[in-house]
Structures are given as structure tokens and as C-alpha cells.
Amino acid sequence: MIQIVWEFVASPGQTLEFERCYAPDGRWAELFRRAPGYRGTSLLRDAEEPRRYLTIDRWETAAAHQSMRERLAQEYAALDRACEPLTESERRIGVFEGE
């Protein structure tokens, strides 16, 4: 299994909407669930910086994730554009192996 970790800072006044989009049952997870190999998403909120979050998307393999990116490229790009105003910054931390 791989886990893809992203760090986000939500835009001021957008934390609730950010959480709705990036939650385990949010818009991103809805998109990912359409692809084989998706195993779930976690959303973590920083206890000291309340607008800072980590998302962890779990996939069976890197190939499953890449296949989703290719197969759902248009939907992925459209959702990324729609969610852009919700974030002040985003940074991919990395891809990690393990359960």
C-alpha cells in the first residue's frame, strides 16, 4: 500500500468548506472511489495551527493511483480548480509505503 500525504493551509474563512471537500467522505474521496485500488482518505487538522491540515490518501499501489490520474484527468483537474479558492497553500509531502 502507498499513502500520499499533502499539507494544506485553508484560506481564511474557508475551513468548514475545506473540510467538506477534503474529508474522508468529501468531494475528493468521491472522485477517488470511482477508481480501483483506492483504500481511503484521512484528514488531520493541526492542533496548534487550525487552518493547517494534512490529507493522507491510501492506494493499493502507485500504479493504481497513476491509473486514476490518467483515467479521471479531466474530472481531477476540474475539481482541483473548484477547490483552489479554499486553500492558501498546498504542498505534496510525499508518497510513503506501508500500512
Coordinates of all heavy atoms in Angstrom, one line a residue:
M1 N 0.9 -1.2 0.0 CA 0.0 0.0 0.0 C 0.9 1.2 0.0 O 2.0 1.2 0.6 CB -0.9 0.0 1.2 CG -1.8 1.2 1.3 SD -3.1 1.3 2.5 CE -3.8 -0.3 2.4
I2 N 0.4 2.3 -0.7 CA 1.1 3.6 -0.6 C 0.2 4.6 0.0 O -1.1 4.4 0.0 CB 1.6 4.1 -2.0 CG1 0.4 4.3 -2.9 CG2 2.6 3.1 -2.6 CD1 0.7 5.3 -4.1
Q3 N 0.7 5.6 0.6 CA 0.0 6.7 1.2 C 0.6 8.0 0.7 O 1.8 8.2 0.8 CB 0.1 6.6 2.7 CG -0.5 5.3 3.2 CD -0.6 5.2 4.7 OE1 -1.1 6.1 5.3 NE2 -0.1 4.1 5.3
I4 N -0.3 8.8 0.1 CA 0.2 10.1 -0.5 C -0.3 11.2 0.5 O -1.4 11.3 0.8 CB -0.5 10.3 -1.8 CG1 -0.1 9.1 -2.8 CG2 0.0 11.6 -2.4 CD1 -0.8 9.1 -4.1
V5 N 0.7 11.9 1.0 CA 0.5 12.9 2.0 C 0.6 14.3 1.4 O 1.6 14.6 0.8 CB 1.5 12.7 3.2 CG1 1.2 13.7 4.3 CG2 1.4 11.3 3.7
W6 N -0.4 15.1 1.7 CA -0.4 16.5 1.3 C -0.6 17.4 2.5 O -1.3 17.1 3.4 CB -1.5 16.8 0.3 CG -1.4 16.3 -1.0 CD1 -1.7 15.0 -1.4 CD2 -1.0 17.0 -2.2 NE1 -1.4 14.9 -2.8 CE2 -1.0 16.1 -3.3 CE3 -0.6 18.3 -2.4 CZ2 -0.6 16.4 -4.6 CZ3 -0.2 18.6 -3.7 CH2 -0.2 17.7 -4.8
E7 N 0.0 18.6 2.5 CA -0.2 19.6 3.5 C -0.9 20.8 2.9 O -0.5 21.2 1.8 CB 1.2 20.1 4.0 CG 1.1 21.3 5.0 CD 2.4 21.9 5.3 OE1 3.1 22.3 4.4 OE2 2.7 21.9 6.5
F8 N -1.9 21.3 3.5 CA -2.7 22.4 3.1 C -2.8 23.4 4.2 O -2.9 23.1 5.4 CB -4.1 22.0 2.7 CG -4.2 21.0 1.6 CD1 -4.2 19.6 1.8 CD2 -4.4 21.5 0.3 CE1 -4.3 18.8 0.7 CE2 -4.5 20.6 -0.8 CZ -4.5 19.2 -0.6
V9 N -2.9 24.7 3.8 CA -3.4 25.8 4.7 C -4.6 26.3 4.0 O -4.7 26.8 2.9 CB -2.3 26.9 4.8 CG1 -2.9 28.0 5.7 CG2 -1.0 26.3 5.4
A10 N -5.7 26.2 4.8 CA -7.0 26.6 4.3 C -7.1 28.1 4.2 O -6.5 28.8 5.1 CB -8.2 26.1 5.2
S11 N -7.7 28.7 3.3 CA -7.9 30.1 3.2 C -8.7 30.6 4.4 O -9.6 29.9 4.9 CB -8.7 30.5 1.9 OG -7.9 30.1 0.7
P12 N -8.5 31.9 4.8 CA -9.2 32.4 5.9 C -10.7 32.3 5.6 O -11.2 32.6 4.5 CB -8.7 33.9 6.0 CG -7.4 33.8 5.4 CD -7.4 32.8 4.3
G13 N -11.5 31.9 6.6 CA -12.9 31.8 6.5 C -13.4 30.6 5.7 O -14.6 30.4 5.4
Q14 N -12.5 29.7 5.2 CA -12.9 28.6 4.4 C -12.7 27.2 5.0 O -12.8 26.2 4.4 CB -12.1 28.6 3.1 CG -12.4 29.8 2.2 CD -13.8 29.8 1.7 OE1 -14.4 28.8 1.5 NE2 -14.4 31.0 1.6
T15 N -12.4 27.2 6.3 CA -12.0 25.9 6.9 C -13.2 24.9 6.9 O -13.0 23.7 6.6 CB -11.6 26.0 8.4 OG1 -12.6 26.7 9.2 CG2 -10.2 26.8 8.5
L16 N -14.4 25.3 7.1 CA -15.5 24.3 7.0 C -15.7 23.8 5.6 O -15.9 22.6 5.5 CB -16.8 25.0 7.5 CG -16.8 25.3 9.0 CD1 -18.1 26.0 9.4 CD2 -16.7 24.1 9.9
E17 N -15.7 24.6 4.6 CA -15.8 24.2 3.3 C -14.6 23.3 2.9 O -14.8 22.3 2.2 CB -16.0 25.3 2.3 CG -16.3 24.9 0.9 CD -17.6 24.1 0.8 OE1 -18.6 24.3 1.6 OE2 -17.7 23.3 -0.1
F18 N -13.4 23.7 3.3 CA -12.2 22.9 3.0 C -12.5 21.5 3.6 O -12.2 20.5 2.9 CB -11.0 23.5 3.6 CG -9.8 22.7 3.5 CD1 -9.0 22.7 2.4 CD2 -9.4 21.7 4.5 CE1 -7.9 21.9 2.2 CE2 -8.3 20.9 4.3 CZ -7.6 21.0 3.2
E19 N -12.9 21.4 4.8 CA -13.1 20.1 5.5 C -14.2 19.3 4.7 O -14.0 18.1 4.6 CB -13.5 20.3 6.9 CG -12.3 20.7 7.8 CD -12.7 21.0 9.2 OE1 -13.8 20.7 9.6 OE2 -11.8 21.5 10.0
R20 N -15.2 19.9 4.2 CA -16.2 19.2 3.5 C -15.6 18.6 2.2 O -16.0 17.5 1.8 CB -17.4 20.1 3.1 CG -18.4 20.3 4.2 CD -19.6 21.0 3.7 NE -19.5 22.4 3.7 CZ -19.9 23.2 4.7 NH1 -20.3 22.7 5.8 NH2 -19.7 24.5 4.6
C21 N -14.7 19.3 1.5 CA -14.2 18.8 0.3 C -13.1 17.7 0.5 O -13.0 16.8 -0.3 CB -13.6 20.0 -0.5 SG -14.8 21.0 -1.3
Y22 N -12.3 17.9 1.5 CA -11.2 17.0 1.7 C -11.4 15.9 2.7 O -10.5 15.1 3.0 CB -9.9 17.9 2.1 CG -9.5 18.7 0.9 CD1 -10.0 19.9 0.7 CD2 -8.5 18.2 0.1 CE1 -9.6 20.7 -0.4 CE2 -8.0 19.0 -1.0 CZ -8.6 20.2 -1.2 OH -8.2 21.0 -2.3
A23 N -12.5 15.8 3.4 CA -12.8 14.8 4.4 C -12.9 13.4 3.7 O -13.0 13.3 2.5 CB -14.2 15.1 5.0
P24 N -12.9 12.4 4.6 CA -13.0 11.0 4.1 C -14.2 10.7 3.2 O -14.2 9.8 2.4 CB -12.9 10.2 5.3 CG -12.2 11.0 6.3 CD -12.6 12.4 6.0
D25 N -15.3 11.5 3.4 CA -16.5 11.4 2.6 C -16.7 12.6 1.7 O -17.8 12.8 1.2 CB -17.7 11.1 3.5 CG -17.9 12.2 4.4 OD1 -17.1 13.2 4.6 OD2 -19.0 12.2 5.1
G26 N -15.6 13.4 1.5 CA -15.7 14.6 0.7 C -15.6 14.4 -0.8 O -15.6 13.3 -1.3
R27 N -15.6 15.6 -1.5 CA -15.6 15.5 -2.9 C -14.4 14.8 -3.5 O -14.5 14.1 -4.5 CB -15.7 17.0 -3.4 CG -17.0 17.6 -3.1 CD -17.0 19.1 -3.5 NE -17.0 19.2 -4.9 CZ -16.8 20.4 -5.5 NH1 -16.7 21.5 -4.8 NH2 -16.8 20.5 -6.9
W28 N -13.2 15.0 -2.9 CA -12.0 14.3 -3.5 C -12.2 12.8 -3.3 O -11.9 12.0 -4.2 CB -10.8 14.8 -2.8 CG -10.3 16.1 -3.4 CD1 -10.4 17.3 -2.8 CD2 -9.7 16.3 -4.6 NE1 -9.9 18.3 -3.6 CE2 -9.4 17.6 -4.8 CE3 -9.3 15.4 -5.7 CZ2 -8.8 18.2 -5.9 CZ3 -8.7 16.0 -6.8 CH2 -8.5 17.3 -6.9
A29 N -12.6 12.3 -2.1 CA -12.8 10.9 -1.9 C -13.9 10.3 -2.8 O -13.7 9.2 -3.3 CB -13.2 10.7 -0.4
E30 N -14.9 11.1 -3.1 CA -16.0 10.7 -4.1 C -15.3 10.4 -5.4 O -15.6 9.4 -6.1 CB -17.0 11.7 -4.2 CG -18.0 11.8 -3.0 CD -19.0 12.9 -3.2 OE1 -19.1 13.5 -4.4 OE2 -19.7 13.3 -2.2
L31 N -14.5 11.3 -5.9 CA -13.8 11.1 -7.1 C -12.9 9.8 -7.1 O -12.9 9.0 -7.9 CB -12.9 12.3 -7.5 CG -12.1 12.2 -8.8 CD1 -13.1 12.1 -10.0 CD2 -11.2 13.3 -8.9
F32 N -12.1 9.7 -6.0 CA -11.1 8.6 -5.9 C -11.8 7.3 -5.8 O -11.3 6.3 -6.3 CB -10.2 8.8 -4.7 CG -9.3 10.0 -4.7 CD1 -8.8 10.5 -3.5 CD2 -9.0 10.6 -5.9 CE1 -8.0 11.6 -3.5 CE2 -8.2 11.8 -5.9 CZ -7.7 12.2 -4.7
R33 N -13.0 7.2 -5.2 CA -13.8 6.0 -5.0 C -14.2 5.4 -6.4 O -14.5 4.2 -6.5 CB -15.0 6.2 -4.2 CG -14.7 6.0 -2.7 CD -16.0 5.8 -1.9 NE -16.8 7.0 -1.9 CZ -16.7 8.1 -1.1 NH1 -15.7 8.1 -0.2 NH2 -17.5 9.1 -1.2
R34 N -14.2 6.2 -7.4 CA -14.5 5.7 -8.8 C -13.4 4.9 -9.4 O -13.6 4.3 -10.5 CB -14.9 6.9 -9.7 CG -16.1 7.6 -9.2 CD -16.4 8.9 -9.9 NE -16.3 8.8 -11.4 CZ -16.1 9.8 -12.2 NH1 -16.1 11.0 -11.7 NH2 -16.0 9.6 -13.5
A35 N -12.2 4.8 -8.7 CA -11.1 4.1 -9.3 C -10.7 2.9 -8.5 O -10.7 2.9 -7.2 CB -9.9 5.1 -9.3
P36 N -10.4 1.8 -9.2 CA -9.9 0.6 -8.5 C -8.6 0.9 -7.7 O -7.8 1.7 -8.2 CB -9.6 -0.4 -9.6 CG -10.3 0.2 -10.8 CD -10.4 1.6 -10.6
G37 N -8.5 0.3 -6.6 CA -7.3 0.4 -5.8 C -7.3 1.5 -4.7 O -6.3 1.6 -3.9
Y38 N -8.3 2.4 -4.7 CA -8.4 3.4 -3.7 C -8.8 2.7 -2.4 O -9.7 2.0 -2.3 CB -9.4 4.5 -4.1 CG -9.7 5.5 -3.0 CD1 -8.8 6.4 -2.6 CD2 -11.0 5.6 -2.5 CE1 -9.0 7.3 -1.7 CE2 -11.3 6.5 -1.5 CZ -10.3 7.4 -1.1 OH -10.6 8.3 -0.2
R39 N -8.1 3.1 -1.3 CA -8.4 2.5 0.0 C -8.8 3.5 1.1 O -8.9 3.1 2.3 CB -7.2 1.7 0.5 CG -6.9 0.5 -0.4 CD -8.1 -0.5 -0.2 NE -8.1 -1.6 -1.2 CZ -8.9 -1.7 -2.2 NH1 -9.9 -0.9 -2.4 NH2 -8.8 -2.7 -3.0
G40 N -9.0 4.8 0.8 CA -9.5 5.7 1.8 C -8.6 6.9 1.9 O -7.5 7.0 1.5
T41 N -9.2 7.9 2.6 CA -8.6 9.2 2.9 C -8.7 9.5 4.4 O -9.7 9.3 5.0 CB -9.2 10.3 2.1 OG1 -8.9 10.0 0.7 CG2 -8.7 11.7 2.4
S42 N -7.6 10.1 4.9 CA -7.7 10.7 6.3 C -7.4 12.2 6.2 O -6.7 12.6 5.3 CB -6.6 10.1 7.2 OG -6.8 8.7 7.4
L43 N -8.1 12.9 7.0 CA -7.9 14.4 7.1 C -7.5 14.7 8.5 O -8.3 14.4 9.5 CB -9.2 15.1 6.7 CG -9.2 16.6 6.8 CD1 -8.1 17.2 5.9 CD2 -10.5 17.2 6.6
L44 N -6.4 15.3 8.7 CA -5.9 15.7 10.0 C -5.8 17.2 10.1 O -5.2 17.8 9.2 CB -4.5 15.1 10.2 CG -4.4 13.5 10.1 CD1 -2.9 13.1 10.2 CD2 -5.2 12.8 11.1
R45 N -6.3 17.7 11.2 CA -6.2 19.2 11.4 C -5.1 19.4 12.5 O -5.1 18.8 13.5 CB -7.6 19.7 11.9 CG -7.6 21.2 12.1 CD -9.0 21.6 12.4 NE -9.1 23.1 12.4 CZ -10.2 23.8 12.6 NH1 -11.3 23.1 12.7 NH2 -10.2 25.1 12.6
D46 N -4.3 20.4 12.2 CA -3.2 20.8 13.2 C -3.8 21.3 14.5 O -4.6 22.3 14.4 CB -2.3 21.8 12.5 CG -1.0 22.0 13.3 OD1 -1.1 22.3 14.5 OD2 0.1 22.0 12.7
A47 N -3.4 20.8 15.6 CA -4.0 21.3 16.9 C -3.5 22.7 17.3 O -4.1 23.4 18.1 CB -3.6 20.3 18.0
E48 N -2.3 23.1 16.7 CA -1.8 24.4 17.1 C -2.0 25.5 16.0 O -2.0 26.6 16.3 CB -0.3 24.2 17.3 CG 0.0 23.3 18.5 CD 1.5 23.1 18.8 OE1 2.3 23.5 17.9 OE2 1.8 22.5 19.8
E49 N -2.2 25.0 14.7 CA -2.5 26.0 13.6 C -3.7 25.5 13.0 O -3.7 24.7 12.1 CB -1.3 26.0 12.6 CG 0.0 26.5 13.2 CD 1.1 26.4 12.2 OE1 0.9 26.8 11.0 OE2 2.3 26.1 12.6
P50 N -4.9 26.0 13.4 CA -6.2 25.5 13.0 C -6.5 25.6 11.5 O -7.5 24.9 11.1 CB -7.2 26.3 13.8 CG -6.5 27.5 14.3 CD -5.0 27.1 14.3
R51 N -5.8 26.3 10.7 CA -6.0 26.3 9.3 C -5.1 25.3 8.5 O -5.2 25.2 7.3 CB -5.9 27.7 8.7 CG -7.0 28.7 9.1 CD -7.0 30.0 8.4 NE -5.8 30.7 8.4 CZ -5.1 31.1 7.4 NH1 -5.5 30.9 6.2 NH2 -4.0 31.8 7.6
R52 N -4.2 24.7 9.2 CA -3.3 23.8 8.6 C -3.8 22.3 8.7 O -4.2 21.9 9.8 CB -1.9 23.9 9.3 CG -0.8 23.0 8.7 CD 0.5 23.3 9.4 NE 1.5 22.4 8.9 CZ 2.1 21.5 9.7 NH1 1.9 21.5 11.0 NH2 3.0 20.7 9.1
Y53 N -3.7 21.6 7.6 CA -4.2 20.2 7.5 C -3.2 19.3 6.8 O -2.4 19.8 6.0 CB -5.5 20.2 6.7 CG -6.7 20.9 7.3 CD1 -6.8 22.3 7.1 CD2 -7.6 20.2 8.1 CE1 -7.9 22.9 7.7 CE2 -8.7 20.9 8.6 CZ -8.8 22.2 8.5 OH -9.9 22.9 9.0
L54 N -3.3 18.0 7.1 CA -2.7 17.0 6.3 C -3.8 16.1 5.7 O -4.8 15.8 6.4 CB -1.8 16.1 7.1 CG -0.5 16.8 7.7 CD1 0.3 15.7 8.5 CD2 0.4 17.4 6.6
T55 N -3.7 15.7 4.4 CA -4.5 14.7 3.9 C -3.6 13.5 3.6 O -2.5 13.6 3.2 CB -5.3 15.1 2.6 OG1 -4.3 15.4 1.6 CG2 -6.2 16.2 2.9
I56 N -4.2 12.3 3.8 CA -3.5 11.0 3.5 C -4.4 10.2 2.7 O -5.4 9.7 3.2 CB -3.1 10.3 4.8 CG1 -2.2 11.2 5.7 CG2 -2.3 9.0 4.5 CD1 -2.0 10.7 7.1
D57 N -4.0 10.0 1.4 CA -4.8 9.2 0.5 C -4.1 7.8 0.4 O -2.9 7.8 0.0 CB -4.9 9.9 -0.8 CG -5.6 11.2 -0.7 OD1 -6.6 11.3 0.0 OD2 -5.1 12.2 -1.4
R58 N -4.9 6.8 0.6 CA -4.3 5.4 0.6 C -4.7 4.7 -0.7 O -5.9 4.7 -1.0 CB -4.7 4.6 1.8 CG -4.1 5.2 3.1 CD -4.6 4.5 4.4 NE -6.1 4.5 4.6 CZ -6.7 5.6 5.0 NH1 -6.1 6.7 5.3 NH2 -8.1 5.5 5.2
W59 N -3.7 4.1 -1.3 CA -3.9 3.3 -2.6 C -3.2 2.0 -2.5 O -2.2 1.9 -1.8 CB -3.3 4.1 -3.8 CG -4.1 5.4 -4.0 CD1 -3.9 6.6 -3.5 CD2 -5.2 5.5 -4.9 NE1 -4.8 7.5 -3.9 CE2 -5.7 6.9 -4.8 CE3 -5.9 4.7 -5.8 CZ2 -6.7 7.4 -5.6 CZ3 -6.9 5.2 -6.5 CH2 -7.3 6.5 -6.4
E60 N -3.8 1.0 -3.1 CA -3.1 -0.3 -3.1 C -1.7 -0.3 -3.7 O -0.8 -0.9 -3.2 CB -4.0 -1.3 -4.0 CG -5.2 -1.8 -3.2 CD -5.9 -2.8 -4.1 OE1 -5.5 -3.2 -5.2 OE2 -7.0 -3.2 -3.6
T61 N -1.6 0.5 -4.8 CA -0.3 0.6 -5.5 C -0.1 2.0 -6.1 O -1.1 2.7 -6.3 CB -0.1 -0.5 -6.6 OG1 -1.1 -0.2 -7.6 CG2 -0.3 -1.9 -6.1
A62 N 1.1 2.3 -6.4 CA 1.4 3.6 -7.1 C 0.7 3.5 -8.5 O 0.2 4.5 -9.0 CB 2.9 3.8 -7.2
A63 N 0.7 2.3 -9.1 CA 0.1 2.2 -10.4 C -1.4 2.4 -10.4 O -1.9 3.0 -11.3 CB 0.4 0.8 -11.0
A64 N -2.0 2.0 -9.3 CA -3.5 2.3 -9.2 C -3.7 3.8 -9.1 O -4.7 4.3 -9.7 CB -4.0 1.6 -7.9
H65 N -2.9 4.5 -8.4 CA -3.1 5.9 -8.3 C -2.8 6.6 -9.6 O -3.6 7.5 -10.1 CB -2.1 6.5 -7.2 CG -2.2 8.0 -7.1 ND1 -1.2 8.8 -7.7 CD2 -3.1 8.8 -6.6 CE1 -1.5 10.1 -7.5 NE2 -2.6 10.1 -6.8
Q66 N -1.8 6.2 -10.3 CA -1.4 6.7 -11.6 C -2.5 6.5 -12.6 O -2.9 7.3 -13.4 CB -0.1 6.2 -12.1 CG 0.3 6.8 -13.4 CD 0.5 8.3 -13.4 OE1 1.0 8.8 -12.3 NE2 0.2 9.0 -14.4
S67 N -3.1 5.3 -12.6 CA -4.2 4.9 -13.5 C -5.4 5.9 -13.2 O -6.0 6.3 -14.2 CB -4.6 3.5 -13.2 OG -5.7 3.2 -14.0
M68 N -5.7 6.1 -12.0 CA -6.8 7.1 -11.7 C -6.5 8.4 -12.2 O -7.4 9.1 -12.8 CB -7.0 7.2 -10.1 CG -8.1 8.2 -9.7 SD -7.6 9.9 -9.6 CE -6.3 9.8 -8.4
R69 N -5.3 8.9 -12.0 CA -4.9 10.2 -12.6 C -5.1 10.3 -14.1 O -5.5 11.4 -14.6 CB -3.5 10.6 -12.2 CG -3.2 10.8 -10.7 CD -3.8 12.1 -10.2 NE -3.5 13.3 -10.9 CZ -2.6 14.2 -10.5 NH1 -1.9 14.0 -9.3 NH2 -2.3 15.2 -11.2
E70 N -4.8 9.2 -14.8 CA -4.9 9.2 -16.2 C -6.4 9.1 -16.6 O -6.8 9.8 -17.5 CB -4.1 8.1 -16.8 CG -2.6 8.3 -16.6 CD -1.7 7.1 -17.0 OE1 -2.3 6.1 -17.4 OE2 -0.5 7.2 -16.8
R71 N -7.1 8.2 -16.0 CA -8.4 7.9 -16.4 C -9.4 9.0 -16.1 O -10.3 9.3 -16.8 CB -8.9 6.6 -15.7 CG -10.2 6.0 -16.3 CD -10.4 4.6 -15.8 NE -10.6 4.4 -14.4 CZ -11.7 4.5 -13.7 NH1 -12.8 4.8 -14.4 NH2 -11.8 4.3 -12.5
L72 N -9.2 9.7 -14.9 CA -10.1 10.7 -14.5 C -9.4 12.1 -14.5 O -9.7 13.0 -13.8 CB -10.5 10.4 -13.0 CG -11.3 9.1 -12.8 CD1 -11.5 8.8 -11.3 CD2 -12.6 9.1 -13.6
A73 N -8.5 12.3 -15.5 CA -7.7 13.5 -15.6 C -8.6 14.8 -15.7 O -8.3 15.8 -15.0 CB -6.8 13.4 -16.8
Q74 N -9.6 14.7 -16.5 CA -10.5 15.9 -16.7 C -11.2 16.2 -15.4 O -11.3 17.4 -15.0 CB -11.4 15.8 -17.8 CG -10.7 15.8 -19.2 CD -11.7 15.6 -20.3 OE1 -12.9 15.3 -20.2 NE2 -11.2 15.9 -21.5
E75 N -11.8 15.2 -14.8 CA -12.6 15.4 -13.5 C -11.6 15.9 -12.4 O -12.0 16.7 -11.6 CB -13.3 14.1 -13.1 CG -14.4 13.7 -14.1 CD -13.9 12.7 -15.1 OE1 -12.7 12.7 -15.5 OE2 -14.7 11.9 -15.5
Y76 N -10.4 15.3 -12.4 CA -9.4 15.7 -11.4 C -9.1 17.2 -11.5 O -9.1 17.9 -10.5 CB -8.2 14.8 -11.5 CG -7.2 14.9 -10.4 CD1 -7.1 14.0 -9.4 CD2 -6.3 16.0 -10.4 CE1 -6.2 14.1 -8.4 CE2 -5.4 16.1 -9.4 CZ -5.3 15.2 -8.4 OH -4.4 15.3 -7.4
A77 N -8.8 17.6 -12.7 CA -8.4 19.0 -13.0 C -9.6 19.9 -12.6 O -9.3 21.0 -12.1 CB -8.0 19.1 -14.4
A78 N -10.8 19.5 -13.0 CA -11.9 20.4 -12.7 C -12.2 20.5 -11.2 O -12.4 21.7 -10.7 CB -13.2 19.8 -13.4
L79 N -12.0 19.5 -10.5 CA -12.2 19.5 -9.0 C -11.1 20.3 -8.4 O -11.3 21.1 -7.4 CB -12.3 18.1 -8.4 CG -12.5 18.0 -6.9 CD1 -13.8 18.8 -6.5 CD2 -12.6 16.6 -6.5
D80 N -9.8 20.2 -8.9 CA -8.7 20.9 -8.4 C -9.0 22.4 -8.6 O -8.7 23.2 -7.6 CB -7.4 20.5 -9.1 CG -6.2 21.0 -8.4 OD1 -6.1 20.9 -7.2 OD2 -5.3 21.4 -9.2
R81 N -9.5 22.8 -9.7 CA -9.8 24.2 -9.9 C -10.9 24.7 -9.0 O -10.8 25.8 -8.5 CB -10.2 24.5 -11.4 CG -9.1 24.5 -12.4 CD -9.5 25.0 -13.8 NE -10.5 24.1 -14.3 CZ -10.4 23.0 -15.0 NH1 -9.1 22.5 -15.2 NH2 -11.4 22.3 -15.5
A82 N -11.9 23.9 -8.8 CA -13.0 24.3 -7.9 C -12.6 24.4 -6.5 O -13.2 25.3 -5.8 CB -14.2 23.2 -8.1
C83 N -11.6 23.7 -6.1 CA -11.2 23.7 -4.7 C -10.1 24.7 -4.4 O -9.8 25.0 -3.3 CB -10.7 22.3 -4.2 SG -12.1 21.1 -4.1
E84 N -9.5 25.3 -5.5 CA -8.4 26.2 -5.4 C -8.7 27.4 -4.4 O -7.8 27.7 -3.6 CB -8.0 26.7 -6.7 CG -6.6 27.3 -6.8 CD -6.2 27.6 -8.2 OE1 -6.0 26.6 -9.0 OE2 -6.0 28.8 -8.5
P85 N -9.9 28.0 -4.5 CA -10.1 29.2 -3.6 C -10.2 28.8 -2.1 O -10.1 29.6 -1.2 CB -11.5 29.7 -4.0 CG -11.7 29.1 -5.3 CD -11.0 27.9 -5.4
L86 N -10.3 27.5 -1.8 CA -10.3 27.0 -0.4 C -9.0 26.9 0.3 O -8.9 26.8 1.5 CB -11.0 25.6 -0.3 CG -12.4 25.5 -1.0 CD1 -12.9 24.1 -0.9 CD2 -13.4 26.5 -0.3
T87 N -7.9 27.0 -0.5 CA -6.6 26.9 0.1 C -5.7 28.1 -0.2 O -5.7 28.6 -1.3 CB -5.9 25.6 -0.5 OG1 -5.8 25.7 -1.9 CG2 -6.7 24.4 -0.1
E88 N -5.0 28.4 0.8 CA -3.9 29.4 0.8 C -2.6 28.9 0.2 O -1.9 29.5 -0.5 CB -3.7 30.0 2.2 CG -2.8 31.2 2.3 CD -2.8 31.7 3.7 OE1 -3.8 32.4 4.0 OE2 -1.9 31.4 4.4
S89 N -2.4 27.6 0.6 CA -1.2 26.9 0.1 C -1.5 25.4 0.1 O -2.3 24.9 0.9 CB 0.0 27.3 0.9 OG -0.1 26.7 2.2
E90 N -0.7 24.7 -0.7 CA -0.7 23.2 -0.7 C 0.6 22.7 -1.1 O 1.3 23.4 -1.9 CB -1.8 22.7 -1.6 CG -1.6 22.8 -3.1 CD -2.7 22.2 -3.9 OE1 -3.8 22.8 -4.0 OE2 -2.5 21.1 -4.4
R91 N 1.0 21.6 -0.5 CA 2.4 21.1 -0.8 C 2.3 19.6 -0.7 O 1.8 19.1 0.3 CB 3.4 21.6 0.2 CG 4.8 21.1 0.1 CD 5.7 21.8 1.0 NE 5.4 21.5 2.4 CZ 6.1 20.6 3.2 NH1 7.1 19.9 2.6 NH2 5.8 20.4 4.4
R92 N 2.7 18.9 -1.7 CA 2.8 17.4 -1.6 C 4.0 17.1 -0.8 O 5.2 17.4 -1.1 CB 2.9 16.8 -3.0 CG 2.8 15.3 -2.9 CD 2.7 14.7 -4.3 NE 3.9 13.9 -4.5 CZ 4.0 12.9 -5.3 NH1 3.0 12.6 -6.1 NH2 5.1 12.2 -5.4
I93 N 3.8 16.4 0.3 CA 4.9 16.0 1.2 C 5.6 14.8 0.7 O 6.8 14.7 0.7 CB 4.4 15.8 2.6 CG1 3.9 17.1 3.2 CG2 5.5 15.1 3.5 CD1 3.3 17.0 4.6
G94 N 4.8 13.8 0.2 CA 5.5 12.6 -0.4 C 4.6 11.4 -0.5 O 3.4 11.5 -0.1
V95 N 5.1 10.4 -1.0 CA 4.5 9.1 -1.2 C 5.2 8.1 -0.3 O 6.4 7.9 -0.4 CB 4.5 8.6 -2.6 CG1 3.8 7.2 -2.8 CG2 3.9 9.6 -3.6
F96 N 4.4 7.5 0.6 CA 5.0 6.6 1.6 C 4.5 5.2 1.5 O 3.3 5.0 1.1 CB 4.7 7.2 3.0 CG 5.3 8.5 3.3 CD1 4.6 9.7 2.9 CD2 6.5 8.7 3.9 CE1 5.1 10.9 3.1 CE2 7.0 10.0 4.1 CZ 6.3 11.1 3.7
E97 N 5.3 4.2 1.7 CA 4.9 2.8 1.7 C 4.6 2.3 3.1 O 5.2 2.8 4.1 CB 6.0 2.0 1.1 CG 6.3 2.3 -0.4 CD 7.4 1.5 -0.9 OE1 8.3 1.1 -0.2 OE2 7.4 1.3 -2.1
G98 N 3.7 1.4 3.2 CA 3.3 0.8 4.4 C 1.9 0.8 4.7 O 1.1 1.5 4.0
E99 N 1.5 0.1 5.7 CA 0.0 0.0 6.1 C -0.4 1.3 6.9 O 0.0 1.9 7.7 CB -0.2 -1.2 7.0 CG 0.1 -2.5 6.2 CD -0.7 -2.7 4.9 OE1 -2.0 -2.5 5.0 OE2 -0.2 -3.0 3.9

